[in-house]
Amino acid sequence: MKEQKLNPLDQRSTQASPAGASNPEATDENRRPPELSMARVLSLFRPQPFMVHAGRRRNMLCKMSMDSRARKVFAAAVEAVQPDTVVRQSIERKEDSVVIGGQKFTLKHNLHLVGFGKAVLGMAAEAERILGDHLVKGVISVPHGIQQTLQQHGKNHLLLKENSRIRVMEGAKHNLPDIDAQNAAEGIKQFASELTENDLLLVLISGGGSALLPAPIPPISLQEKQDVTRKLAGAGATIQELNTVRRALSVLKGGGLAHFAHPAQVVSLILSDVIGDPLDMIASGPTVWSEVWPEEVWSILEQYKLLSCLPASVKEVLGRPTQRWRENKGESNTSGRVLNTVIGSNSVALKQAGRRARELGFRPIVLAAGVCGDVRAVSRLYGLLARFACSPEEPPPEIAGELLRLGPEVGVESWDLCRTMQVLGEGRTEGWGSTCLLAGGEPTVELTGKGRGGRNQELALRVALELGGLGLPPNGPVFLSGGTDGQDGPTEAAGAVTDGGLPEESQAQGLDIDSVLTNNDSYTFFTRLSAGRRLLVPGLTCTNVMDVHMLLIPPIHVKIT
Ligand SMILES: Nc1ncnc2c1ncn2[C@@H]1O[C@H](COP(=O)(O)OP(=O)(O)OP(=O)(O)O)[C@@H](O)[C@H]1O
Ligand SMILES: O=C(O)[C@H](O)CO
C-alpha cells in the first residue's frame, strides 16, 4: 500500500464495520441497483432461511422473555459503538506506520492528537494505547466532570493513563459552550497552528463536539454566540440548521481546524450522531471544508424569528465577504492533506444488534438508520408494521399503501419498506418463527406539557397504544426504544420496553395515558407503572449514535379482530 496525498478537505467517509461484519439485511445505499421495478425490488430480498435452534439451546431461548432478549439486543448495539472499540477497529498499526481508512501514514514520532466531543476521552485513551510510542502531544476538550463520572462507574479503560501525553480540558457544562470550552478551543487552535508538513494530526470527533469547540469569529463574544444557538435550539431548529449557523460564526467549524493545521496531514476519526452521517454536520465539521452561504444563514435566522434580536457583531460577521480562510491564513485551501473517516454510527450499532438478535433466536431485519419526524407518525409506522407482520393471512393492501405513504414522512424509503414487508410476509407464510425488526434515528417530540420524559419513552408508550389496538392475544409483539447515550431527554432512563398489554396494565394501576402524553410525562409514568419494570436503564454508556428502535414479533397465527 502506498502512502497517498488526499484531495482538499476530502469528504469521503469510510464506514468501518465491526470485524467480520456482513449483514444481508443491513441498509446500504451502495447496494441499490440504479433502476428497479417494485416487483424486482421485492424479488431481490428473498431472506436467508431461518436457522432453527435445536435441543437445549432452543429451550433456553424460549425460556428467556422477549423483554429480556430485547434488552440484550440493545446492549449489543451500544457495545458495538463503544469509543475504544470503534477506534481499535479503525486503526491498523503496522510497525512504524498506521493504516486508517485504507490509507497508510508513516509514523516517525510526528503524531499529534486533538479531540472534542462526549465520547472523545475513551477514543483518545485507545488511540494512545495503539499509537502512544509515536505520540508527541495531544489536547482534548471533553464534557465537564466526565473523568470523575467514568471513575465512579468503574470505566477506567476509557480514562487516560497517569503519564499520558494528552492534556484533558473539561468544559461545556450542560452541553452549552462556556469559557472553559472556549479556552480548550483556543488551545486546540494554537496547537494545530504550530504543526509542520512532517506532522500527522489525529483528530477525534464525536457528538457534542460543537459545544466543546466554541471559537466565535471576532467581534462576536462567546455569550452572543451562545445566545443565538440557544434561541435557535429552543425554537426547534434541526441540528443541520443549528450547525449551519454555528459554522458561519466560528473560526474552527466548517473546516477551520483543518485549515489551521495545514500543512500537516490531518486524519479525523468521527463517531457520528447525525442521521445519514454528514461529515460537515457532525460537531459542525471542523475538518470538513464547507462554504458559508450568508443567504442560507439569514434565512434560517429569519425562519426562527431571530433577526430582530441579533447582536450587531453577528450581523457584521454575516455581512462580510465569504472567503474567510484567506483572511485566516492567507491561503485558499489546504491542498489535499485531510482524511475524514466515520468510524461508528447508528448503522454499525444496528448491524451488531442484528447479529445478537440472531443468536437469541430471532430473524433480524434492519429497516433503516434514519428514522426521524414526529413520534406520533413514527409510532404509527411501527403499529402498521406490527399489524402487517401479525396478520394471519395476506394483509389487506391498505396497510402496505399506508406504510409507503408514511415512510417519507419519517425518513424511511419505500425501498426499505418494501424489502422489510417482503421479509415479514415470507416469515408469516413460511412459518419462520420470531423476527427482530431493527431501526434507528432520532424522532422528535413536540413538547406541549411540562412533564418529565424523553422521545424514546414517549415513542415506546405510543407504540404500546398501537399494539394494544391490534387486539392480539398476550405474548404479542414487544417494542423497545432507547437512546444509545443511555439518557433519554433529561431523565435517568435511556428509554422503555413496551407491548400491547400496557394500556390495560396502566388502567389497572390508575394511570391515565392520555394525560401523560399531553403533559409529556412519560418518565414519571414509566417510573410509577409496575415499579418501573418497563424502563430501560443502562446507565452511562459513554457513546452516542442516536436511538435504537426494536420490534420483536413472535410467530402469531391468530386472526386480528
Ligand atoms: N418531557 C419530555 N418528553 C418527551 N421528550 C422530551 C421531553 N423533554 C425533552 N424531550 C426531548 O428530548 C430531546 C433532548 O434530549 P437528549 O438530551 O436525549 O437529546 P439528544 O439529541 O440525544 O442530545 P445529545 O445528542 O446532545 O445527547 C429533545 O428532542 C426534546 O424534545
Ligand atoms: O456537536 C454537535 O454538533 C452535535 O452533537 C451533532 O454532531
Side-chain angles (χ1 to χ4, degrees), residues 15-16 18 23 26-27 73-74 76-78 80-81 86 270-278 282 342-354 366-372 382 438-443 455-456 481-485 543-550:
Q15 183 84 26
N23 180 355
T27 314
V73 174
F74 178 76
V78 170
V81 286
V86 290
I270 304 168
L271 185 56
S272 170
D273 70 333
V274 181
I275 285 178
D277 311 330
I282 304 161
V342 173
I343 61 166
S345 64
N346 192 268
S347 307
V348 171
L350 294 183
K351 276 185 190 170
Q352 189 56 28
V366 177
L367 172 66
V371 177
C372 56
Y382 291 123
L438 291 154
E442 201 167 80
R455 58 175 181 259
N456 286 284
S481 185
T484 55
D485 60 355
T543 190
N544 182 12
V545 293
M546 303 180 288
D547 305 337
V548 166
H549 304 155
M550 197 186 308

Side-chain angles (χ1 to χ4, degrees), residues 295-324:
E295 304 77 19
E296 191 186 5
V297 180
W298 285 120
S299 95
I300 294 169
L301 294 168
E302 187 181 7
Q303 185 188 339
Y304 293 101
K305 304 191 173 31
L306 295 188
L307 288 186
S308 58
C309 58
L310 270 190
S313 58
V314 171
K315 287 185 185 160
E316 190 207 315
V317 167
L318 289 178
R320 285 179 192 168
T322 53
Q323 289 168 318
R324 55 197 180 121

Side-chain angles (χ1 to χ4, degrees), residues 417-451:
L417 278 169
C418 289
R419 176 176 56 81
T420 298
M421 285 189 278
Q422 171 81 358
V423 179
L424 290 176
E426 292 187 357
R428 183 182 53 246
T429 52
E430 297 176 24
W432 272 326
S434 313
T435 304
C436 172
L437 188 136
L438 291 154
E442 201 167 80
T444 48
V445 172
E446 199 188 305
L447 291 179
T448 50
K450 292 194 164 31

